[in-house]
Amino acid sequence: MDAFRAGKDSHIDAAFLKKLNDALELIELELGRYPLEQVALSFNGGKDCTILLHLLRVVIDKLYGPETKIKAFHILCEDEFPELRRFVLDIAWKYNVQLRELGGSLKSGLQTLQADEPDVKVVFMGSRSTDPHGKFMKSKCQWTDEDWPQFYRVCPVFDWSYAEVWKGLRGLCVPYCILYDRGYTSLGDRSKTVQNAALRIAGDQYKPAYCLEEDHLEREGRDKDHLITVDSDVYLSKDVKTENGDNTKA
């Protein structure tokens, strides 16, 4: 990580390195403001929250040591890809994550989290400004809307592009869900998500997600009527219609 941040890889541009350093500094800042028992990660296995998990692990290792668990929660999706389910459990073990799984709609799951773990005040999220509802967030750090369970959202990769997420995942050798190597670029409900046609080679053969050259095509494999994704987590905002439980992973 130190060599990567120092720009020793000639393929890593300065603009991305600044975003990487900014993300790490924001994580360290917020962990300095709030004790770990008040912090949780929203994690569902998508690419954005996966790079965030890695960055959070780096900072927690630095501040508290690698034996310190990361508290996280996963809002379960009834129509989840089995590959994604396996990945969530595998990486939780690999990164020493204490993962809590919550059922029901997003809002009810958060209400359960708040009732059972009232100490949790801060939720780290992999949300990005280019997500379908990113326009409803005005900054990287923001409280949920008043008619939702109150949590302080911290989104360290909020200003990252699709390409930069992959630059981070691959440059730092972070494990990610196998579905991305099969041509999926944004993950949601299994019945509403297909491989990205922009990556088709021939027949049923697709390039990996990191080969996508046009960021704006990231969600071409998604049902446009159900664009709340797994990758980007959730915005925990009244502006996002998630009561049907359609949790998007990005």
Side-chain angles (χ1 to χ4, degrees):
M1 169 67 87
D2 290 339
F4 189 88
R5 292 179 70 183
K8 293 184 178 179
D9 185 337
S10 60
H11 296 93
I12 304 301
D13 60 88
F16 172 66
L17 285 176
K18 184 180 185 309
K19 289 185 179 181
L20 174 63
N21 286 322
D22 287 348
L24 289 165
E25 288 171 7
L26 177 60
I27 293 170
E28 188 163 349
L29 173 67
E30 296 302 337
L31 291 181
R33 295 177 61 207
Y34 296 92
L36 274 185
E37 57 267 23
Q38 293 185 9
V39 174
L41 169 69
S42 174
F43 187 75
N44 47 32
K47 61 184 181 296
D48 302 333
C49 60
T50 297
I51 187 62
L52 175 57
L53 169 61
H54 184 81
L55 300 182
L56 188 60
R57 181 75 269 169
V58 168
V59 177
I60 288 179
D61 284 1
K62 172 185 174 182
L63 298 178
Y64 298 98
E67 72 285 351
T68 303
K69 289 187 176 294
I70 295 175
K71 184 184 297 184
F73 64 91
H74 175 204
I75 304 292
L76 292 170
C77 171
E78 292 182 2
D79 191 23
E80 192 168 57
F81 283 94
E83 295 92 340
L84 186 63
R85 171 73 174 154
R86 286 194 294 271
F87 171 72
V88 168
L89 297 177
D90 287 347
I91 201 168
W93 177 82
K94 179 179 178 64
Y95 277 73
N96 197 14
V97 175
Q98 179 183 326
L99 184 67
R100 174 165 188 168
E101 297 183 320
L102 304 171
S105 70
L106 169 61
K107 197 169 189 177
S108 66
L110 291 171
Q111 288 169 338
T112 299
L113 176 68
Q114 191 173 61
D116 293 351
E117 299 193 46
D119 287 341
V120 174
K121 307 296 182 186
V122 180
V123 175
F124 278 89
M125 304 175 63
S127 304
R128 290 188 288 125
S129 62
T130 54
D131 293 336
H133 297 278
K135 62 185 179 182
F136 296 118
M137 285 193 69
K138 299 178 176 62
S139 66
K140 293 181 180 181
C141 302
Q142 189 173 320
W143 285 93
T144 50
D145 291 322
E146 59 185 18
D147 58 342
W148 277 70
Q150 286 295 286
F151 292 103
Y152 185 59
R153 295 168 289 178
V154 179
C155 307
V157 299
F158 187 69
D159 58 347
W160 290 30
S161 68
Y162 174 85
E164 287 168 338
V165 169
W166 281 110
K167 198 172 292 186
L169 287 170
R170 301 186 72 223
L172 295 170
C173 299
V174 180
Y176 55 83
C177 181
I178 189 65
L179 291 171
Y180 292 115
D181 281 342
R182 298 175 183 171
Y184 292 89
T185 53
S186 178
L187 303 176
D189 287 356
R190 182 171 49 172
S191 61
K192 299 164 186 166
T193 305
V194 297
Q195 289 146 302
N196 195 318
L199 293 174
R200 179 178 286 129
I201 301 172
D204 60 353
Q205 299 298 308
Y206 290 79
K207 298 177 184 177
Y210 56 78
C211 292
L212 187 68
E213 297 180 354
E214 301 86 3
D215 281 17
H216 69 279
L217 296 179
E218 175 182 356
R219 295 177 178 82
E220 282 301 298
R222 300 293 310 288
D223 182 338
K224 298 299 189 299
D225 293 329
H226 299 84
L227 269 181
I228 300 170
T229 75
V230 170
D231 304 87
S232 56
D233 290 308
V234 291
Y235 279 89
L236 316 193
S237 167
K238 65 185 178 184
D239 299 299
V240 184
K241 310 304 181 184
T242 55
E243 285 301 299
N244 60 4
D246 179 17
N247 300 326
T248 300
K249 281 65 169 172

